Amino acid sequence: MTEAPSAAVRLNAPGGLEPEAILGSLAAHTLPGAERTDSEERTHTRLVHGPRGRRAITVRFDEAGLELTAHAADEAELPALAELVRTWFDLDADLGPVREWLRRDELLGPLLSIRPGLRVIGTTDRFQTAVTTVLGQQVSLAAGRTFAGRLIAAFGSDGPQGLRSFPEPASLVEADAEELRSAVGLTASRARTVQALASAWLEADGAPTRTELLAVPGVGPWTVDYLAVRYGDRDGFTPGDLVLRKALGGITAREAEARSEPWRPYRAYALMHLWTHTAYTKGAKPAI
């Protein structure tokens, strides 16, 4: 059967984009089997939920925006997929006020000069982001990706472009607990957290609230703070994050919270600049 032709659209980012920073972050979090990041080609490919089912999309970045290609999709699907991608990469944000506010800070000012088009990377799948965040708690990014890849291999399903989809909440709730633990290589407590999170997702009929997430055994403040940033809170902040605290001179979480107060209401942008400078660009050490 001949595959339907691809549809493509150009999405500009008023105020510019930072391809190196975006690709560095995406590469650090790319899930084996479910996503592909090519830093040389400046592309990232993954599956998303479109108006007519799962679609494989590829985004190619440049300094002014990106080119979105929807594989085996028609033109009628492009508006919804384009909106998804615009939200994912924060393309509609007016960076003028952000720059004006944060450049007053002695630490952030030079970073904004280096990467004036840096935006907050969101998500196309809140459940996937929540589960992979839990899998990455207290381990390296590489270990978290390995766990996620095993989860996808064991409980995901085949999709277009040779990619596998992330497991749905119901499939993780219904999985045998020991099978889940052994297939992914998790501790029993971490496996229970994954299943409890999936159960909370079903009960909430979508992304749980902050309070509901904190009620999940094994989910703490760092996780919900991080998810708030990825879910679109532009004042979201992760004071307990080790990479952030390192970027701020090795201070405590309480000190990091106090240090961030002058950055409101744009703390998520400050966080992205500090993460990027510390972990996701050339010369930076990989996050641990």
Side-chain angles (χ1 to χ4, degrees):
M1 181 180 294
T2 302
E3 187 177 81
S6 298
V9 63
R10 172 74 191 177
L11 303 178
N12 289 324
L17 204 62
E18 302 291 340
E20 180 190 344
I22 292 175
L23 288 160
S25 179
L26 290 173
H29 295 89
T30 291
L31 303 185
E35 301 171 293
R36 292 191 293 265
T37 301
D38 188 328
S39 297
E40 292 297 321
E41 294 294 324
R42 289 183 159 188
T43 61
H44 180 80
T45 302
R46 63 157 296 137
L47 301 179
V48 298
H49 295 284
R52 298 181 181 175
R54 287 184 303 172
R55 291 289 182 265
I57 64 169
T58 296
V59 287
R60 184 185 299 273
F61 304 97
D62 57 54
E63 285 72 12
L66 58 85
E67 182 87 11
L68 163 64
T69 300
H71 303 281
D74 60 45
E75 296 287 339
E77 298 176 77
L78 275 182
L81 294 173
E83 182 61 28
L84 178 71
V85 171
R86 294 195 72 86
T87 300
W88 181 13
F89 293 112
D90 197 27
L91 299 185
D92 292 324
D94 181 358
L95 296 181
V98 177
R99 296 166 182 159
E100 182 67 24
W101 189 256
L102 295 181
R103 71 181 182 184
R104 306 172 187 178
D105 186 273
E106 61 181 5
L107 177 60
L108 294 176
L111 302 185
L112 269 83
S113 296
I114 296 170
R115 301 183 186 92
L118 192 66
R119 298 167 187 271
V120 180
I121 299 175
T123 178
T124 64
D125 186 331
R126 290 190 173 196
F127 179 65
Q128 173 184 308
T129 300
V131 173
T132 54
T133 301
V134 165
L135 293 176
Q137 290 176 163
Q138 300 176 326
V139 298
S140 67
L141 269 176
R145 288 196 305 273
T146 297
F147 289 147
R150 293 171 182 166
L151 184 75
I152 292 163
F155 300 99
S157 58
D158 290 335
Q161 294 290 306
L163 298 172
R164 286 180 65 80
S165 65
F166 196 82
E168 296 293 330
S171 68
L172 296 183
V173 169
E174 296 165 2
D176 177 79
E178 176 56 25
E179 180 184 353
L180 173 63
R181 187 203 65 75
S182 61
V184 183
L186 302 175
T187 63
S189 62
R190 187 60 53 86
R192 287 194 295 269
T193 296
V194 170
Q195 289 194 298
L197 180 61
S199 180
W201 218 268
L202 292 178
E203 291 175 7
D205 193 25
T209 65
R210 182 183 179 91
T211 299
E212 290 168 339
L213 284 171
L214 286 171
V216 175
V219 173
W222 176 86
T223 297
V224 295
D225 288 342
Y226 176 79
L227 291 178
V229 174
R230 295 291 300 278
Y231 290 175
D233 181 357
R234 293 304 178 250
D235 196 40
F237 194 65
T238 57
D241 185 78
L242 292 177
V243 176
L244 167 74
R245 287 160 53 197
K246 175 185 175 183
L248 294 175
I251 63 179
T252 67
R254 179 172 295 184
E255 289 169 334
E257 181 73 40
R259 180 70 176 84
S260 74
E261 284 301 313
W263 304 337
R264 291 184 181 273
Y266 302 121
R267 295 192 301 171
Y269 290 97
L271 184 63
M272 288 300 298
H273 276 280
L274 292 167
W275 273 344
T276 299
H277 182 70
T278 306
Y280 296 142
T281 53
K282 292 179 181 178
K285 295 181 180 180
I288 59 174

